[in-house]
Amino acid sequence: MPDATSTVPVAPLGRTGLATPPMIYGASCLGNLYQALPWSTKLEIVRAWFEHAPRPVVIDSAGKYGAGLALEAIGQALRELGVPAEDVVISNKLAWRRVPLETDEPTFEPGAWADLEHDAVQDISADGIERCWRQGNELLGDPYRPQLVSVHDPDEYLAAATDDADRERRFGDVLGAYERLFELKRRGEVVAVGVGSKDWRVIQRLTDRIDLDWVMFANSMTIYRHPPELLAFIDGLHERSVGVINSAVFHAGYLVGGRFFDYETIDPSRNDHAAVQAWRETFWAVCDEHGVKPAHACIQFGLRFPRAAAIALNTGSPGRVGDNAHMVATPLGGAFWESLRSAGLIDAAPPSDP
């Protein structure tokens, strides 16, 4: 396959020892998130990844994505395209394990995944997280292995607690899972251990207890939502050389025209949803005034303020991969950020050009 032509520089992901370009590729689309893509489209998406990023290309996936379907698709596509293992870095967020499908549709995240042939169950503990890791390796297939591992959405696991005692028990499960992941790192089975979470305060609690190598924020550090206490926390992570990856900066696509906001369908009759809808209308108006695509604004804000090592972007369209790469590489002018602040859309000072 062709070599990447991108001149985008790579940067270290904190203290992990791995270098990453500013855009890494989310793989939930390969797991049939919201729609079942044909194999030819999935293969072209992976091909486009390598055409628009320097190597090693960084791919972010999880056992939860399509009950392991995304991991299978990544491995199959890389083999069909003849990608050497050294040309790819794979992140596998662990916590969900494939099991047989015994109902009409999968029981995890009903309505989010299309045409799946398997179900998934949560398996968070020391032994459980290793089961997830081993299954992920099998689904990827030789010669590919994840270099980055993490516990996926521990916030959701903790939020399911029935009372305070159950929450503490579950937090112990999460800590046990991390003990096992760091054991894998000591054995040289993985390179770095991190966390991916939608609730940044759970990341904060974990980093108070565990010396993580990297973190991934989802739906947290965005143009719509960027509380000052989160910005201060991220500054502290930088001081500790913890790598920061930002993701879900479109809030499940809603800020750029989708129907879902943080994976819920917007209901204008709800006050909180009506406020989000009003924010989007004003945001789009400012973008239109400056000739800026809403996606471009979301990407640049999420990547550069405060600066993340990389932003994870997911698309089900091969042609959009190049568009995303262009928006990642192209800063926006200060006048645009000032207009957003004047309109009350962003709270913090506009990001300056690098």
Side-chain angles (χ1 to χ4, degrees):
M1 62 182 297
D3 290 335
T5 58
S6 173
T7 58
V8 175
V10 297
L13 179 59
R15 57 167 173 260
T16 65
L18 297 171
T20 177
M23 178 171 67
I24 68 177
Y25 298 110
S28 57
C29 62
L30 303 184
N32 293 0
L33 180 63
Y34 303 133
Q35 61 178 331
L37 299 175
W39 174 248
S40 59
T41 299
K42 294 181 181 182
L43 185 63
E44 288 308 306
I45 288 170
V46 178
R47 188 192 306 274
W49 291 349
F50 286 84
E51 292 174 347
H52 294 284
R55 300 183 187 185
V57 168
V58 182
I59 303 170
D60 174 63
S61 193
K64 189 179 188 180
Y65 294 167
L69 178 61
L71 291 166
E72 280 186 318
I74 290 167
Q76 182 178 343
L78 294 177
R79 283 186 291 272
E80 286 194 24
L81 296 172
V83 177
E86 61 269 21
D87 282 356
V88 62
V89 169
I90 298 172
S91 166
N92 190 10
K93 301 191 295 288
L94 306 166
W96 292 83
R97 182 168 48 81
R98 172 184 283 186
V99 295
L101 180 62
E102 298 177 343
T103 52
D104 289 340
E105 67 171 314
T107 58
F108 77 105
E109 293 188 326
W113 305 94
D115 295 349
L116 297 188
E117 297 178 357
H118 300 88
D119 207 345
V121 294
Q122 208 166 34
D123 199 1
I124 297 179
S125 66
D127 290 341
I129 215 72
E130 184 163 350
R131 283 190 290 267
C132 294
W133 173 72
R134 292 188 183 281
Q135 185 183 75
N137 294 347
E138 293 172 0
L139 293 171
L140 279 169
D142 292 333
Y144 308 107
R145 291 290 182 270
Q147 295 93 325
L148 302 175
V149 293
S150 59
V151 176
H152 192 190
D153 289 338
D155 50 330
E156 293 182 359
Y157 184 64
L158 297 175
T162 56
D163 53 34
D164 289 345
D166 187 35
R167 184 178 175 87
E168 286 307 304
R169 180 191 65 77
R170 286 170 175 261
F171 191 68
D173 290 340
V174 173
L175 294 180
Y178 274 110
E179 289 178 5
R180 185 63 55 85
L181 292 182
F182 276 102
E183 183 179 322
L184 293 176
K185 179 183 175 182
R186 287 192 294 272
R187 298 203 312 248
E189 303 275 9
V190 301
V191 175
V193 178
V195 63
S197 175
K198 300 180 183 71
D199 185 344
W200 69 269
R201 293 189 183 279
V202 170
I203 295 178
Q204 186 177 47
R205 185 181 180 191
L206 285 171
T207 56
D208 285 343
R209 295 285 300 271
I210 306 168
D211 199 18
L212 295 173
D213 300 314
W214 62 276
V215 303
M216 173 180 280
F217 296 97
N219 295 329
S220 300
M221 197 7 256
T222 71
I223 199 168
Y224 174 77
R225 181 185 293 145
H226 46 276
E229 57 268 29
L230 170 58
L231 305 184
F233 172 53
I234 294 176
D235 285 342
L237 293 176
H238 286 310
E239 292 174 2
R240 294 163 56 185
S241 297
V242 177
V244 174
I245 299 172
N246 203 358
S247 70
V249 296
F250 305 139
H251 286 280
Y254 186 75
L255 299 189
V256 295
R259 295 184 298 111
F260 296 91
F261 178 81
D262 290 355
Y263 311 103
E264 287 186 337
T265 303
I266 284 291
D267 178 2
S269 67
R270 286 177 45 175
N271 289 338
D272 57 338
H273 283 193
V276 171
Q277 191 172 42
W279 189 97
R280 185 175 74 169
E281 290 172 0
T282 305
F283 173 55
W284 284 0
V286 174
C287 287
D288 186 62
E289 177 186 348
H290 287 266
V292 171
K293 292 180 179 180
H296 196 172
C298 293
I299 287 170
Q300 280 293 312
F301 193 92
L303 179 63
R304 296 174 48 234
F305 184 59
R307 180 164 297 281
I311 190 168
L313 297 174
N314 178 59
T315 177
S317 169
R320 204 167 293 161
V321 174
D323 293 340
N324 286 345
H326 173 75
M327 289 185 285
V328 165
T330 307
L332 293 170
F336 171 68
W337 301 119
E338 192 58 44
S339 292
L340 290 178
R341 184 164 62 169
S342 297
L345 296 175
I346 59 176
D347 300 324
S352 57
D353 288 343

